[in-house]
Every structure is written in C-alpha cells, then in structure tokens.
Amino acid sequence: MPPFSEAFVRTTPFGVLAGFDFPPSAESIPEALHADERAHAATLSPRRRPEWIGGRLAFARAASERGWPRVALGTGPRGEPALPEGLAGSISHKNALAVALVARADGATLGVDLEALAPARPSIEEIALRAEEREALHRLPDAERWHALVLAFAVKEALYKALHPRLRRYVRYDEAAVRLPAEGPEIRLFLDGGVRFRTEVHLEPLDGFALACVRVTGS
C-alpha cells in the first residue's frame, strides 16, 4: 500500500466527503499534490507534514468527484485551508486519517471534525461543555456517556471551522450548546454580540471515529 492512500469517498447532505490514510512520517512528497502545495509541504516539520499532505489529497479527491479543477490549497492565518474561489470546504485529521468535506460555494460555510473514539478522554467535558450540557450528559447511562461527549465535542469543533470564515475570531466552547436527540443533532448558539446564524449538523458513521459535519448559513 502506498504511504498515502484513499480511504473512502462519500456523498453527504453537505457535500462530498473524502478520506486519506497518511503515514507517521513523509520523507518524499507525493507528485499528486499541486506544485505549490509540494513546495509548502517541504517547509513543514516531520510531524506536521504527513497530516497536511493527507488533508490536501483528501480535499483534491473530494473536489475531483464533482469535476472541479485541481488548484493549490494554501493555509490561512489560523491554520485553516485557504479555499479556492467557488468552493466551500473544511479539513480534519486524527491519528492516521485525514478527511475533507467539499461543496460548491452557495453562501454556506462548512466545517468537518474527526475525533478518535478510543481511548476515552472524559476530561474534555470540563473544557467543551456548558453547565446545561454537562447536566444532560450525566443523566445518560454510564455506557452512553463517552460516545455522547465525543460527538458533542466533534460538533463544536466542526462548528468553529464553519463559523470562522464569517466571524474571523476564536469561538469559545461556551458559545454553543449541542443536543443529540434521536431525531438528529441540534446546535444552539450564544455568540457574543447576538449574531445569528442557521446551523445544520450531519454525523457521518465511521468505524473508530466520531465524524461531524456542520453547515452554517445566514449573517
């Protein structure tokens, strides 16, 4: 198997989702990258380079599924992908998997987040959840608690990525509350300044991971 390999390509309600497996290190840089991306990858640290390449390969694969042209994907001031004109999208990576969600730009912004299910990390409750979210979490049976927590965390991380192009600032965890009823996830926003947006959430099943996609519209 090559060091970077396609894991999956799927169509979701918010766009095309692609995944690429990446190795722990990358001495050589894949020719599949755009020339400008190869030049940037060469400047990255050995730890950062594989995940960065994996994310760009996943983005290119998702875009190609709809026949969109291959372009260099740069990096913004907060580490976000600098999206080409005409496309909306987001990248996430965890362990040895990178994923990218891509759609045609239609006024919406997108966020995707990938979180490993194991090992359990219950301490994220203290930083990621509002008081009412913690109360709801502890009403759940013990066996369901970690899964609900990691899903809520993934939704908030994806939400931040979808909001960033609109707000251009750090979004705190307490500026959103996530509910996970059986009929589908819901987000309630508590943004400073009373800014209002419409949010939609899609949870994509993926063995070993929580994968959340968020679509934001409005102003």
Side-chain angles (χ1 to χ4, degrees):
M1 180 180 294
F4 294 91
S5 57
E6 182 181 311
F8 60 85
V9 180
R10 303 177 184 175
T11 299
T12 78
F14 300 161
V16 179
L17 182 71
F20 256 75
D21 295 316
F22 60 84
S25 62
E27 296 300 324
S28 60
I29 299 173
E31 290 295 321
L33 287 179
H34 188 283
D36 291 344
E37 292 174 330
R38 291 200 302 273
H40 181 75
T43 70
L44 299 176
S45 69
R47 183 198 66 79
R48 175 68 173 135
R49 183 184 297 167
E51 62 191 28
W52 192 91
I53 292 173
R56 267 58 189 176
L57 291 174
F59 191 97
R61 180 63 184 90
S64 73
E65 187 72 4
R66 292 288 183 269
W68 296 318
R70 182 74 175 89
V71 296
L73 196 64
T75 302
R78 290 185 179 270
E80 75 279 9
L83 299 172
E85 186 175 355
L87 293 183
S90 181
I91 292 173
S92 185
H93 41 75
K94 189 66 63 174
N95 297 344
L97 179 64
V99 297
L101 177 65
V102 186
R104 187 177 299 281
D106 61 358
T109 47
L110 301 176
V112 67
D113 188 63
L114 183 70
E115 298 295 335
L117 293 178
R121 304 173 300 283
S123 61
I124 64 176
E125 173 190 339
E126 295 302 317
I127 63 169
L129 301 189
R130 292 168 57 92
E132 65 269 29
E133 293 175 293
R134 293 198 298 271
E135 291 172 6
L137 181 72
H138 285 274
R139 288 196 292 268
L140 296 175
D142 289 350
E144 298 177 17
R145 204 169 291 165
W146 163 243
H147 193 250
L149 173 57
V150 73
L151 285 177
F153 183 72
V155 170
K156 289 196 178 190
E157 289 286 314
L159 174 66
Y160 168 77
K161 295 176 183 180
L163 285 174
H164 181 264
R166 298 170 179 275
L167 298 178
R168 297 291 176 183
R169 66 167 176 82
Y170 174 75
V171 179
R172 302 188 311 274
Y173 289 115
D174 66 359
E175 290 186 271
V178 177
R179 292 183 63 249
L180 299 167
E183 59 271 22
E186 301 172 355
I187 296 173
R188 185 180 179 190
L189 296 176
F190 302 88
L191 295 174
D192 290 347
V195 183
R196 302 178 70 87
F197 297 105
R198 181 173 183 264
T199 60
E200 301 169 86
V201 184
H202 171 70
L203 300 178
E204 184 71 15
L206 187 64
D207 286 348
F209 294 94
L211 201 166
C213 306
V214 172
R215 186 175 187 268
V216 173
T217 53
S219 57

